[in-house]
Amino acid sequence: KKYLSQHGGRSNASTSLHLTTYKFEVLAEHAERAIDIFSNFFVSPLFTKSGTGREVNAVDSENSKNLTADARRRLQILKALSDDKHYFSKFTTGNSKTLPTEDPKDLERIREALLAFHRKHYRPENLTVVVAGPQSLDELEEWVVPRFGAMEAKKFPEKEGEMTAIEEMIETAAKDAPPFGAKDPPAQFHSPLRPELQDGWPMLLTVKPVRSMRRLTMMFPVPSVRLVPDQSPTSILSHLLGHEGRDSPFALLQNEGLITSLSAGNRFAEPTFSLFQVDISLTEDGEKRWKEVVGVIMQYCRYLYHQAQKARKDDGSELLRIWQEKIALNRIFFDQTSPGLVYSLCPTLCQSIVSHGTEACLSAGYMLQEDSSTFPLEEVVDFASRLVPSNCIIERCSEAAWAELEESSDEVKQRQTEQWYGIDYFVSPIEPTDVASWGGTAGTKPFLDASSLRLPEPNCYIPRSLELCPDLPEEARKGPRIDKEIDPPNLLLNDSLRGRLWHRLDDRYTLPKSDYTIFIANAKAEHTLVEGTWQYDAKKTAASAILASMFNQALAQATYDAHLAGLSWSLSLSTSGISLHCSGFSDRLGDLALNVLKEFLETSWITEAYYSAAKDRALRSLRTFFVSRRSDSHAVYYRDLLLDSSSEGVEASLDATESLSLQDIVEHHAAVLQNEEVFLDCLMCGNVSEKSARDFFQQSTQLLLDAREGKSVAHPSMWRPGPTENRLAPLDEVNLNFQSQNPHEENGALIMTYQSPIPSFRGKGLSSEESLENTASVRLLSHMLREPLFNELRTKQALGYIVSSYYDLALSLRPANLKDLGPQCVTIDLITVAILSRKMEPAQLKVRTDEFLTKFRDILLQMPESEIESHATALSTKLLKPTQKLSTEASSHFSKIKRYAPEIGSAASGIPWNNAPVLAAQIRKLSRDDLLRTWDRIVLPAHRSRVVSMVHGSSFPFSEDKAKPRPFAKTVSNSVQDILSLRKEFRPFDMTPSELRNNSSIFARLAKNRPVAALAAASVFGMGYLGWTLFSRSKKRAS
């Protein structure tokens, strides 16, 4: 890890039921040495006793992190319901009970088992290695083969009589594993979930979630499809059952006001079985009428079975047309995709080789060899015949479902407890009359008639053409040119009525794809005008969130085909305004974007049904925010609440949401659209000509002008809304102490954030050299800090599973009360340390972290120059790494437009489109003294400005800290209102560096705290020149 850290790399590992995958990435010029180190882990591993103990602690910490995750909890219940002789039923993560280490004999036994497991399974024939890089294949092979070829199979006894007890345990466990490799014979169908284990199905499983949800899940065990990715019958059935277009189960149930989402597919695709599921999110009414929802799905399953049988006699069947449509789309996706990151490519490819072999590893699932003659009709018939009540587990996961059974006097219900997580759940039979109705038994009536359901219609969004734009130069048509420098967008139009149009024709990716963004700066999305000044309004913020949620629901059916055809769209209302983003294949993208915009400008979709569902989701999320999330999530929330000058917190959002009515939403939609003070920016990137961009801009803005009765969407002097970050003064420290309200959370959390006093570098012409040096130093320090902090606090001290440090960037726009000074967006450098732990209380985590950060300064002081240079080279090289995706490029361009165009105006050349070369060059120039100076200014106790957010789990409940606080330190304990009151003392972050506190004020406040007086004196006199310099420069800049 140290080598990778010094050379721009990272590493990780993961274990599934069948595979353990190790991965790393590093800068290309250091790859051979990294491969040499990496290969030795497999050729000659150490497995020290101390390392074994530490990793057991890590396993237990990871397990404790999972205890609050609903997906994990629901998985454990399925395992509990499984055949205990089936491999699937095993507890797959481990904890301190399955891996006890308190007794040295237990630890030694675990180490013996670890070594035996390694001898049994870590053998050359089980190893698959994938290496990707810019080097030639011959060179990569020369690096890999000799090194990994040195791996030898360790001796493991073949006969049971020759084995130790631990070796017998490892051997027995290995026999449970089914064949998994591509060359292994297919395993027989053997599901761990079977009707006879629960005295017959359908069975009702009822679970109480941690997070608020109303989930209805129908699960059907079917044969494995893992080895037939191109002809998987579950892929076809999931496409049909999960379709959201007209006359689909989703459309019928959404129109009835019963569901908000529906998906279908394999929950598990194991060697011996697949678990096919239909997963549904219910509305409040749908919760009450869940049997009707089940009935509709069962009716459609029967319909699909009959359609498949009919297709046996009809060569031109609709099912065959849908199969061919899937083939066409998958081939397009395979051919028209930008390369991804090697860090994700290598493990994905490695696992695919194990499952599908080297010839099919890249194409598996893309149907490249399929045509009408390979349609797996008989398999579809077989699988559809299994989607029946007698082969179904129905899971209800909601608070209401749980309360219903808990209060029920039904004696046939069984309350059971899962072994490892301690989760209670109910298992109960279903009324025979309900089963008969779901099964379509003669003489019964369905709960809800679904006879109108049909197969999906032809997809009108499949691209007609994949041609590249005719304006593209010939040299750009020959293939991707990822290494080419990115040209900035051109400002095609700056119209006083319609706003600005930005355009960039792609000449790097050579893909028939585009990316459109329409952004309308609009304060009314989250603000109210009070006596001429815009003020944050929690009710308008809640209304905007519900409005966007309603709109996404309303267009789900109409735009689902676009989603299937590789197009995507999103519309959001935020503190900055309204944003519509569309991306995908160019041919139909403009049509989709105009259709979405046109729909939003109308009001027919603002209905009671969409409103009720959206408000219900929002309320449930807010009401369970504190009782359902992990401690580290809450710690970040409390920190952000302090530093954000607008948001009033979850409680205020809840009150505001509860107070809303449908009429409020109608009025808010009209008010936002008709707001006088708006400004539109449109960015069109990718395979789109200048003429097409102008045409689209003309059409889209005309829709807006018509909806606004001709009012301009380019207000010249409006206030630019957005986030405003509060500024901590030097020596400010805020300690936030809260008890987690999540009853399942054992872990405590520490989020420690240091705020730089000097504004971050925004770009040449917008920031000073001082900001450039500071940002470069902060980024390099963050890069250098990550590995040693992890190694000390995670690996050696084993404080918790999550231990990390990282560089972060905050934004702060000029607040409305300073509107007359003009728009300005300030960026702020932050260093954050995050720990999730149940080993010790958060206050002790803080002490351990502070001790390490003090030690890190000494590490930095003694670090060889060559190591500093390695870190600087690695970071600067990573910054200069070419952008590989059009979406990433477009997002970067638009973030610069949104931040800086209002300040710069029509001078597009003044926007800092790409700061990476400037930052990279500065990082390479940095000296040890530069880094020490920045470290002392930001992290040293005598100067730092930081927020320490601590949330206590059940392992170490909150108690008041008896220690004397530092001077200028403020503490908030279990009171959101105190946070809101405290943040009023801070002022917004602007472009002036923080001023050093007045010396006499410091000593006056320190007079009663002599233990730190010497430190403060050193601060003032030792670093006073720096502080005075910053103060003087800010005065000059202001003048």
Side-chain angles (χ1 to χ4, degrees):
K1 281 187 174 288
K2 183 176 182 180
Y3 183 84
L4 294 176
S5 175
Q6 290 178 18
H7 299 98
R10 53 180 170 165
S11 64
N12 208 340
S14 62
T15 298
S16 65
L17 279 174
H18 308 282
L19 300 171
T20 298
T21 304
Y22 303 85
K23 64 178 180 178
F24 79 87
E25 72 171 354
V26 72
L27 295 176
E29 57 265 36
H30 303 286
E32 184 177 12
R33 174 62 178 146
I35 289 173
D36 186 60
I37 298 171
F38 189 68
S39 63
N40 273 294
F41 295 153
F42 306 95
V43 174
S44 53
L46 297 178
F47 292 129
T48 62
K49 290 184 180 181
S50 61
T52 302
R54 286 195 302 267
E55 286 311 306
V56 168
N57 287 333
V59 168
D60 186 58
S61 295
E62 181 178 11
N63 181 69
S64 70
K65 171 183 69 69
N66 296 336
L67 295 178
T68 62
D70 280 308
R72 287 278 187 176
R73 295 165 69 87
R74 295 168 68 203
L75 169 62
Q76 285 304 127
I77 292 173
L78 288 180
K79 287 176 174 286
L81 294 171
S82 297
D83 181 353
D84 60 8
K85 295 181 178 59
H86 195 284
Y87 71 89
F88 178 80
S89 68
K90 294 183 177 183
F91 180 42
T92 49
T93 55
N95 59 20
S96 58
K97 293 180 181 178
T98 62
L99 300 169
T101 58
E102 292 185 4
D103 188 328
K105 292 181 180 179
D106 288 333
L107 179 58
E108 183 57 35
R109 187 170 181 272
I110 291 171
R111 184 167 178 269
E112 288 177 18
L114 185 66
L115 291 170
F117 184 90
H118 187 270
R119 290 195 301 273
K120 173 68 179 176
H121 297 290
Y122 279 62
R123 310 171 72 83
E125 62 267 27
N126 290 344
L127 178 67
T128 300
V129 180
V130 172
V131 179
Q135 297 83 0
S136 69
L137 293 179
D138 289 342
E139 186 174 10
L140 291 174
E141 187 175 350
E142 287 174 7
W143 292 354
V144 172
V145 172
R147 291 176 169 88
F148 284 94
M151 182 180 179
E152 296 180 352
K154 304 296 190 295
K155 185 177 179 180
F156 192 92
E158 295 184 4
K159 298 179 180 179
E160 290 188 5
E162 301 172 354
M163 297 180 188
T164 65
I166 285 179
E167 287 172 337
E168 287 184 5
M169 177 186 72
I170 297 298
E171 177 67 19
T172 301
K175 289 179 180 178
D176 292 342
F180 191 79
K183 296 180 180 179
D184 293 333
Q188 294 296 312
F189 175 39
H190 179 46
S191 173
L193 296 158
R194 302 190 298 276
E196 63 266 25
L197 298 174
Q198 284 85 33
D199 299 325
W201 291 354
M203 177 189 73
L204 179 63
L205 169 64
T206 306
V207 181
K208 184 178 182 180
V210 176
R211 292 197 177 194
S212 180
M213 62 178 72
R214 293 198 188 95
R215 298 289 281 277
L216 175 69
T217 307
M218 302 167 64
M219 293 170 275
F220 306 86
V222 295
S224 173
V225 295
R226 199 178 65 86
L227 299 180
V228 287
D230 291 332
Q231 296 183 11
S232 168
T234 59
S235 173
I236 300 165
L237 291 171
S238 67
H239 172 75
L240 299 173
L241 275 162
H243 205 281
E244 296 181 10
R246 190 173 63 180
D247 297 331
S248 67
F250 171 82
L252 172 62
L253 293 168
Q254 187 192 41
N255 294 342
E256 283 286 324
L258 302 181
I259 72 171
T260 58
S261 70
L262 184 154
S263 63
N266 291 326
R267 186 165 184 172
F268 308 112
E270 288 293 310
T272 63
F273 76 103
S274 297
L275 188 65
F276 185 80
Q277 72 172 20
V278 180
D279 191 37
I280 303 165
S281 292
L282 300 171
T283 63
E284 187 173 6
D285 194 27
E287 180 81 86
K288 300 171 186 174
R289 299 166 58 187
W290 67 272
K291 293 180 180 180
E292 297 179 44
V293 177
V294 172
V296 167
I297 300 302
M298 289 298 185
Q299 288 179 72
Y300 196 63
C301 288
R302 288 198 303 277
Y303 171 77
L304 295 180
Y305 175 68
H306 293 315
Q307 288 294 314
Q309 285 187 314
K310 180 182 175 184
R312 285 170 164 169
K313 306 173 183 178
D314 182 4
D315 292 339
S317 74
E318 283 293 281
L319 283 178
L320 186 59
R321 187 261 304 166
I322 292 168
W323 168 255
Q324 292 172 320
E325 205 172 78
K326 281 178 64 67
I327 292 172
L329 281 172
N330 274 285
R331 287 178 177 172
I332 290 173
F333 296 152
F334 184 83
D335 291 335
Q336 306 295 338
T337 301
S338 297
L341 299 174
V342 291
Y343 196 57
S344 56
L345 168 67
C346 283
T348 300
L349 195 53
C350 206
Q351 293 166 17
S352 186
I353 288 172
V354 173
S355 297
H356 308 298
T358 53
E359 290 188 8
C361 62
L362 283 170
S363 62
Y366 283 100
M367 308 175 73
L368 301 187
Q369 306 302 319
E370 307 306 315
D371 57 31
S372 59
S373 67
T374 62
F375 178 42
L377 179 58
E378 293 307 315
E379 288 80 3
V380 172
V381 171
D382 175 41
F383 276 56
S385 72
R386 299 172 187 267
L387 306 184
V388 292
S390 59
N391 189 45
C392 183
I393 297 174
I394 299 171
E395 179 194 12
R396 295 180 68 196
C397 183
S398 69
E399 295 91 337
W402 182 262
E404 182 182 318
L405 271 189
E406 218 175 16
E407 296 166 4
S408 168
S409 58
D410 191 345
E411 295 181 359
V412 296
K413 69 180 182 182
Q414 300 176 40
R415 184 166 183 159
Q416 302 178 15
T417 302
E418 185 274 335
Q419 179 181 5
W420 300 110
Y421 279 41
I423 316 161
D424 285 351
Y425 60 95
F426 284 108
V427 172
S428 51
I430 295 172
E431 290 290 337
T433 52
D434 296 338
V435 178
S437 175
W438 293 340
T441 302
T444 63
K445 289 186 177 181
F447 288 100
L448 181 64
D449 181 27
S451 59
S452 63
L453 299 184
R454 296 289 181 270
L455 293 174
E457 297 178 355
N459 191 333
C460 66
Y461 280 102
I462 295 176
R464 297 158 297 188
S465 169
L466 297 172
E467 294 296 318
L468 296 177
C469 176
D471 295 355
L472 200 62
E474 192 59 38
E475 63 270 17
R477 296 173 174 273
K478 297 177 181 178
R481 303 187 298 172
I482 301 299
D483 291 328
K484 180 185 178 298
E485 184 177 346
I486 298 176
D487 296 325
N490 296 313
L491 179 58
L492 292 187
L493 291 170
N494 187 7
D495 189 279
S496 61
L497 181 65
R498 299 174 182 268
R500 290 185 289 239
L501 169 62
W502 307 79
H503 170 255
R504 184 176 127 64
L505 175 62
D506 165 44
D507 59 353
R508 300 177 75 247
Y509 312 101
T510 60
L511 292 173
K513 295 182 177 182
S514 298
D515 192 290
Y516 297 178
T517 299
I518 296 175
F519 172 70
I520 305 171
N522 190 329
K524 274 195 177 177
E526 292 192 2
H527 300 80
T528 297
L529 198 58
V530 179
E531 297 180 356
T533 301
W534 291 101
Q535 294 183 5
Y536 174 79
D537 188 320
K539 188 171 182 178
K540 288 189 180 299
T541 301
S544 286
I546 288 179
L547 197 64
S549 178
M550 290 172 61
F551 186 65
N552 286 322
Q553 287 181 67
L555 262 66
Q557 296 179 35
T559 61
Y560 186 72
D561 275 346
H563 162 73
L564 292 177
L567 304 180
S568 66
W569 69 271
S570 64
L571 186 140
S572 63
L573 286 84
S574 67
T575 186
S576 302
I578 307 170
S579 180
L580 171 61
H581 177 249
C582 300
S583 63
F585 294 105
S586 311
D587 181 46
R588 305 275 193 175
L589 188 61
D591 296 339
L592 173 66
L594 290 172
N595 288 340
V596 172
L597 179 60
K598 183 178 179 181
E599 288 293 330
F600 181 72
L601 297 176
E602 297 178 355
T603 58
S604 58
W605 54 272
I606 306 180
T607 66
E608 179 66 41
Y610 293 139
Y611 162 73
S612 296
K615 182 176 179 178
D616 171 66
R617 276 200 309 276
L619 287 174
R620 285 187 290 115
S621 176
L622 291 167
R623 286 169 181 161
T624 61
F625 177 83
F626 292 109
V627 298
S628 63
R629 286 167 171 76
R630 281 190 344 213
S631 290
D632 51 345
S633 172
H634 289 141
V636 170
Y637 162 74
Y638 292 124
R639 178 204 64 184
D640 291 349
L641 187 61
L642 176 77
L643 294 177
D644 181 0
S645 65
S646 57
S647 172
E648 297 171 358
V650 167
E651 294 91 342
S653 296
L654 177 58
D655 291 342
T657 304
E658 288 176 331
S659 71
L660 288 171
S661 66
L662 178 59
Q663 186 58 34
D664 290 329
I665 302 300
V666 172
E667 292 173 1
H668 183 63
H669 177 261
V672 168
L673 289 185
Q674 299 303 325
N675 182 18
E676 296 280 351
E677 296 186 23
V678 300
F679 198 100
L680 182 144
D681 277 291
C682 176
L683 171 66
M684 303 182 69
C685 278
N687 187 50
V688 54
S689 68
E690 182 177 319
K691 179 182 183 304
S692 295
R694 290 177 182 273
D695 289 345
F696 175 82
F697 184 71
Q698 178 72 23
Q699 293 176 65
S700 58
T701 53
Q702 191 60 50
L703 287 174
L704 285 162
L705 291 172
D706 291 346
R708 290 167 54 83
E709 299 177 348
K711 291 196 294 286
S712 168
V713 289
H715 194 283
S717 58
M718 64 167 290
W719 169 63
R720 292 297 179 133
T724 301
E725 187 87 350
N726 287 321
R727 182 176 213 150
L728 305 179
L731 292 177
D732 269 344
E733 175 168 315
V734 181
N735 295 293
L736 307 175
N737 282 289
F738 284 81
Q739 176 64 45
S740 172
Q741 299 173 41
N742 185 340
H744 306 286
E745 178 60 286
E746 299 177 351
N747 292 286
L750 169 76
I751 301 293
M752 184 181 287
T753 297
Y754 294 86
Q755 189 184 76
S756 171
I758 299 176
S760 180
F761 178 69
R762 303 191 298 162
K764 284 194 170 183
L766 293 176
S767 294
S768 65
E769 290 297 318
E770 179 180 68
S771 286
L772 174 59
E773 181 183 309
N774 185 75
T775 295
S777 298
V778 173
R779 296 190 71 148
L780 182 54
L781 285 166
S782 299
H783 183 272
M784 298 167 72
L785 175 66
R786 186 171 59 246
E787 187 277 330
L789 181 136
F790 182 89
N791 185 53
E792 177 64 31
L793 301 184
R794 164 69 161 77
T795 305
K796 293 181 179 179
Q797 298 188 33
L799 294 188
Y801 181 71
I802 294 179
V803 176
S804 66
S805 63
Y806 51 90
Y807 167 80
D808 206 354
L809 187 72
L811 300 179
S812 186
L813 273 71
R814 182 164 276 158
N817 60 346
L818 299 177
K819 170 187 173 183
D820 293 343
L821 298 179
Q824 183 186 81
C825 178
V826 184
T827 49
I828 305 132
D829 297 314
L830 306 169
I831 299 175
T832 295
V833 176
I835 302 177
L836 182 73
S837 171
R838 69 169 183 172
K839 183 175 181 179
M840 60 181 60
E841 64 176 345
Q844 281 301 308
L845 297 176
K846 176 185 174 185
V847 170
R848 296 289 184 95
T849 304
D850 280 340
E851 289 173 350
F852 171 76
L853 294 177
T854 300
K855 178 182 174 182
F856 181 75
R857 192 187 191 283
D858 296 331
I859 294 173
L860 188 59
L861 198 60
Q862 299 166 21
M863 186 177 290
E865 289 288 348
S866 59
E867 192 171 328
I868 295 175
E869 290 175 7
S870 293
H871 280 290
T873 300
L875 179 57
S876 59
T877 303
K878 286 173 69 176
L879 286 172
L880 295 173
K881 186 177 179 180
T883 299
Q884 293 182 283
K885 298 279 188 179
L886 174 64
S887 58
T888 305
E889 178 188 321
S891 176
S892 175
H893 287 324
F894 198 78
S895 69
K896 301 296 173 57
I897 291 170
K898 191 174 174 182
R899 290 180 199 174
Y900 305 125
E903 184 176 345
I904 292 172
S906 59
S909 59
I911 293 178
W913 297 107
N914 185 9
N915 284 330
V918 182
L919 276 172
Q922 184 64 38
I923 287 169
R924 290 176 182 269
K925 294 178 186 177
L926 294 172
S927 67
R928 185 195 313 274
D929 288 343
D930 294 330
L931 297 174
L932 287 169
R933 189 162 54 248
T934 303
W935 181 264
D936 292 346
R937 181 168 59 238
I938 296 175
V939 181
L940 196 70
H943 299 278
R944 69 190 179 204
S945 305
R946 75 173 183 178
V947 179
V948 182
S949 185
M950 294 172 283
V951 173
H952 299 249
S954 60
S955 296
F956 294 95
F958 170 76
S959 60
E960 290 289 347
D961 189 359
K962 300 299 190 294
K964 289 185 177 180
R966 290 180 67 248
F968 314 124
K970 299 177 177 66
T971 299
V972 173
S973 298
N974 285 327
S975 173
V976 166
Q977 195 55 50
D978 286 351
I979 292 180
L980 298 178
S981 297
L982 175 59
R983 76 182 189 186
K984 294 177 182 177
E985 300 179 15
F986 305 125
R987 61 186 176 87
F989 211 109
D990 57 21
M991 284 303 296
T992 58
S994 295
E995 299 175 4
L996 189 67
R997 290 184 186 273
N998 179 275
N999 292 356
S1000 60
S1001 173
I1002 291 177
F1003 285 110
R1005 297 174 66 179
L1006 285 177
K1008 298 179 182 180
N1009 201 319
R1010 293 185 180 181
V1012 294
L1015 180 62
S1019 162
V1020 172
F1021 295 111
M1023 299 294 291
Y1025 174 74
L1026 171 66
W1028 177 249
T1029 301
L1030 300 185
F1031 179 78
S1032 301
R1033 289 178 184 173
S1034 69
K1035 292 293 184 181
K1036 290 179 181 177
R1037 204 165 20 245
S1039 63

